[in-house]
Amino acid sequence: IRRPPRSTQSRSSAASDVYKRQILGGLLFSLVLVHVFDHFGTLYLAAVLNLSAAGLVALAFRRRLLLGASVAATAAWAIAASWFDLDTISTSIQYPGQRIVFKGNSPYGRLLVTETSGQYNFIENGVRLFSTENIEEVEQTIHYAMAQRPEAKRVLLIGGGISGTAREILKYPRTAVDYVELDPLIIKVAARLLPEHRPQARVEVINTDGRHYVRRTKRRYDAVLIDVPDPSTFQINRFYTREFFAEVKRILAEGGVLSLSLGHYENRLSEELAKLIAVAHRTLSEQFRNVLILPARRNYFLASDGPLTMDIAGALERHGIGTQVVSRRYLRGVLSSDRVADVRRAITEDAPLNQDFSPILYYYHLRYWMSQFSVRLGLLVAALAAILLAALVRIRPVSLAVFTTGLAASALEVVLLMAFQILYGCVYHQVGLIVTMFMVGLGLGSFSMNRLLARCGRRALVGLVFAVALLGAALPGVLSALGRFADLPSLAILGQLVILALTAGLGLLIGLEFPLAAKVDFASVAATAGRIYTADFLGAALGALVVSTLLIPLVGVTVVCLTMAAINLLSVVVLLCTSAPN
């Protein structure tokens, strides 16, 4: 008996089943797996599930060779996973010549501690936070700033205290230290590995996000020392922005000094490093009357509304502060006239400002980092442009709509993650929740549209694309409003809920679109699912990479959101101009 032919609606619903299964997998990962397995455990599980699926398909289609290969691969993978600690092996390859002494996860990231010749290196999420026994860096971090205010009574140290900097500040007898460290696991591991570096009587350890603390504290400080890595991520860039410097200025006592470092100056000042220096100097100068750059092993920036001096050695000698490395002879070399002249030439008044929602310093640091290798950012941009052009040359109107909404969804989700981080602190332990809300929105949208397909058509698809454009256009205003109330603890929870709701709403629109697009542009189940799925994935991939790497740093969040709105409005126009079925 032949089955009656299925309607276009039911066949398009079958095409969207691919999307629903992806959503279910995403929800399973966000809600369960991320809390149960580490990254390698998740990879093991994904490998076993896919190999098992391959075996079931081979069994269903009676492909004995494929079935045997699937069983053999599963057995080999299980043996390898049980006999070899691939996590340790891969970490050892990543950090050759270093002994791994600790690996662990916390709500703030993956902490790794390695040891080389008695020096411990603390690395979180792939970024080196600090190394112990590095007396040169410890003394420079502390004494360049403290020599400006040797009588300081209270100092705020953000990051790095376990490396020895907190203890070094105590050489100034009248000074008490508030040491802010985000991850309590760092303090816990350091207490076991480095008992001599435990915080002492005049050091108060505060486990919270440094930016969050500066925004909320009522205390006043004579010096604020920022000891964080270079701005290689949006998370770290928050400590180099105009908004953060304004927040620091608010908690500085009269004539107080801010200190931070950026980039390594070895024998010459490269073009990429010069741009880093120029942006940092311009941004600091927006808030402080005096900015001094000391081109030592790292480039140290001192900023204050009070006087600043380069006579570091003289100030240390007058107050009897003993040092091992930072001496008059050492400073004569690193602060030589030619080095100082180099960094002064790098300063330009037309350098762009580094801001929370326009993190240009992050982009310049990426170029600075890539300049140390053979990779060129221009080649990456050209390759992405070629892929985009090839994909769009013959794309159909409905697939174009799916592509542009996928692009916007990915871009706006990056914006929302970044905004959450800037306004409410470290986002690491909230990423799962934000991604989950997006996946929940996708699931609800897809589920709902499959029940509304009979009543919806091309006009509804146009409306969904237009709604995505409206969300992109409205987002900068919403984030600006949330930023004005971010300092109020009573409204912080409400602001976080707003961002989660926006994320879920964005996912809802995309989830509604996919089944409808499959119906409007239906050819066959396989062809339709493949075409629309490809358009969605290509848009999402380009959105995540290009927006986070290039567009947000170069043009800022507002322009990115408005650009996504404009692209989707163009898609609306194309759909309206091609109203006839494809």
Side-chain angles (χ1 to χ4, degrees):
I1 301 174
R2 295 182 61 187
R3 294 181 180 177
R6 292 195 296 177
S7 66
T8 299
Q9 176 184 329
S10 63
R11 287 181 291 167
S12 61
S13 178
S16 69
D17 283 346
V18 178
Y19 202 58
K20 288 189 290 185
R21 282 162 175 74
Q22 180 219 357
I23 293 169
L24 288 174
L27 284 173
L28 178 64
F29 174 79
S30 299
L31 291 174
V32 180
L33 299 183
V34 75
H35 302 290
V36 176
F37 300 103
D38 61 13
H39 54 298
F40 265 94
T42 303
L43 291 175
Y44 292 155
L45 179 62
V48 170
L49 289 176
N50 279 279
L51 288 170
S52 300
L56 291 174
V57 170
L59 185 63
F61 286 92
R62 299 180 180 179
R63 303 288 184 178
R64 295 180 180 179
L65 183 60
L66 180 58
L67 177 61
S70 300
V71 171
T74 303
W77 184 254
I79 293 172
S82 60
W83 283 6
F84 303 102
D85 184 352
L86 297 182
D87 189 6
T88 300
I89 293 172
S90 64
T91 304
S92 300
I93 295 172
Q94 187 177 4
Y95 301 98
Q98 302 181 41
R99 183 173 64 93
I100 300 169
V101 296
F102 178 82
K103 293 182 301 176
N105 294 293
S106 78
Y108 304 97
R110 181 175 185 264
L111 180 64
L112 174 71
V113 182
T114 65
E115 184 268 337
T116 308
S117 302
Q119 180 185 71
Y120 290 96
N121 310 292
F122 283 69
I123 303 158
E124 192 158 44
N125 299 327
V127 177
R128 188 186 77 87
L129 301 179
F130 54 81
S131 298
T132 64
E133 311 306 324
N134 190 340
I135 298 173
E136 179 184 16
E137 190 165 308
V138 166
E139 290 190 352
Q140 290 185 90
T141 299
I142 300 307
H143 295 301
Y144 291 161
M146 292 301 295
Q148 312 296 325
R149 306 292 182 265
E151 300 295 333
K153 294 181 180 178
R154 184 169 289 278
V155 171
L156 175 62
L157 174 64
I158 297 180
I162 294 300
S163 67
T165 50
R167 185 176 57 180
E168 190 72 16
I169 298 174
L170 299 183
K171 289 182 177 180
Y172 298 83
R174 301 181 58 189
T175 303
V177 183
D178 289 344
Y179 165 36
V180 177
E181 187 65 72
L182 174 64
D183 194 345
L185 184 60
I186 293 175
I187 305 296
K188 181 179 178 180
V189 173
R192 177 167 60 86
L193 297 176
L194 306 161
E196 69 278 10
H197 285 244
R198 287 177 180 173
Q200 300 180 29
R202 287 186 284 139
V203 178
E204 179 183 352
V205 178
I206 303 167
N207 284 126
T208 188
D209 178 72
R211 180 79 183 264
H212 179 81
Y213 177 81
V214 168
R215 183 179 290 152
R216 299 289 178 83
T217 186
K218 303 298 182 184
R219 292 178 176 177
R220 289 289 188 127
Y221 294 93
D222 299 297
V224 175
L225 313 182
I226 311 300
D227 189 13
V228 298
D230 282 352
S232 58
T233 66
F234 286 141
Q235 159 73 13
I236 303 173
N237 183 78
R238 300 180 307 133
F239 295 98
Y240 294 86
T241 64
R242 178 177 65 177
E243 293 84 354
F244 176 64
F245 296 154
E247 293 163 2
V248 170
K249 186 173 182 177
R250 180 187 63 80
I251 67 170
L252 279 174
E254 184 177 357
V257 61
L258 164 67
S259 171
L260 56 87
S261 62
L262 180 65
H264 289 79
Y265 182 9
E266 300 297 341
N267 299 317
R268 71 180 187 90
L269 193 66
S270 66
E271 178 185 352
E272 292 79 12
L273 182 55
K275 289 181 177 178
L276 284 179
I277 291 173
V279 171
H281 182 273
R282 167 80 194 286
T283 307
L284 282 166
S285 298
E286 283 284 308
Q287 299 298 331
F288 297 95
R289 286 199 298 268
N290 301 310
V291 179
L292 183 64
I293 306 176
L294 304 177
R297 187 172 181 269
R298 289 175 57 81
N299 297 290
Y300 288 86
F301 292 76
L302 305 177
S304 176
D305 284 339
L308 296 172
T309 178
M310 292 189 67
D311 185 17
I312 310 296
L316 296 179
E317 291 167 1
R318 285 193 297 273
H319 288 82
I321 305 298
T323 57
Q324 297 183 50
V325 176
V326 178
S327 61
R328 187 172 293 276
R329 180 178 179 181
Y330 173 85
L331 292 170
R332 190 181 300 119
V334 298
L335 302 182
S336 60
S337 58
D338 58 327
R339 290 169 66 90
V340 172
D342 267 355
V343 296
R344 286 178 177 170
R345 280 193 295 269
I347 298 170
T348 58
E349 293 185 0
D350 62 344
L353 288 172
N354 189 45
Q355 303 174 72
D356 279 345
F357 289 105
S358 186
I360 187 67
L361 198 65
Y362 164 78
Y363 168 73
Y364 282 144
H365 184 271
L366 176 64
R367 292 188 57 183
Y368 169 63
W369 177 79
M370 294 182 72
S371 69
Q372 303 172 53
F373 306 94
S374 58
V375 179
R376 290 294 178 264
L377 194 58
L379 296 178
L380 175 62
V381 173
L384 290 174
I387 293 173
L388 178 61
L389 183 62
L392 296 180
V393 164
R394 299 183 61 185
I395 196 168
R396 297 157 69 134
V398 172
S399 296
L400 176 65
V402 174
F403 171 84
T404 59
T405 52
L407 179 75
S410 185
L412 297 181
E413 189 175 7
V414 169
V415 167
L416 288 166
L417 283 166
M418 179 182 170
F420 192 100
Q421 185 169 259
I422 290 169
L423 298 176
Y424 306 112
C426 178
V427 76
Y428 182 87
H429 61 306
Q430 302 287 359
V431 168
L433 178 59
I434 295 173
V435 172
T436 297
M437 292 304 296
F438 183 76
M439 300 301 294
V440 166
L442 284 176
L444 289 175
S446 180
F447 179 84
S448 301
M449 182 52 71
N450 276 323
R451 280 148 183 78
L452 297 171
L453 275 178
R455 298 194 295 265
C456 297
R458 196 180 190 93
R459 185 176 299 178
L461 180 62
V462 171
L464 288 174
V465 180
F466 186 70
V468 172
L470 284 181
L471 180 58
L475 193 54
V478 175
L479 297 180
S480 177
L482 292 178
R484 286 197 292 271
F485 300 107
D487 295 340
L488 302 176
S490 58
L491 295 179
I493 298 297
L494 178 61
Q496 294 178 43
L497 291 176
V498 168
I499 290 181
L500 292 176
L502 288 170
T503 307
L506 179 63
L508 179 68
L509 293 174
I510 305 304
L512 287 168
E513 181 193 37
F514 195 96
L516 185 56
K519 175 189 174 182
V520 171
D521 195 29
F522 186 80
S524 67
V525 172
T528 303
R531 183 172 60 251
I532 295 179
Y533 206 50
T534 299
D536 179 56
F537 258 34
L538 184 60
L542 286 171
L545 180 60
V546 175
V547 167
S548 61
T549 305
L550 296 175
L551 293 186
I552 289 179
L554 286 175
V555 300
V557 163
T558 297
V559 175
V560 165
C561 292
L562 295 179
T563 301
M564 294 301 113
I567 289 173
N568 280 274
L569 286 177
L570 176 64
S571 221
V572 167
V573 172
V574 171
L575 283 172
L576 291 175
C577 293
T578 56
S579 57
N582 293 310

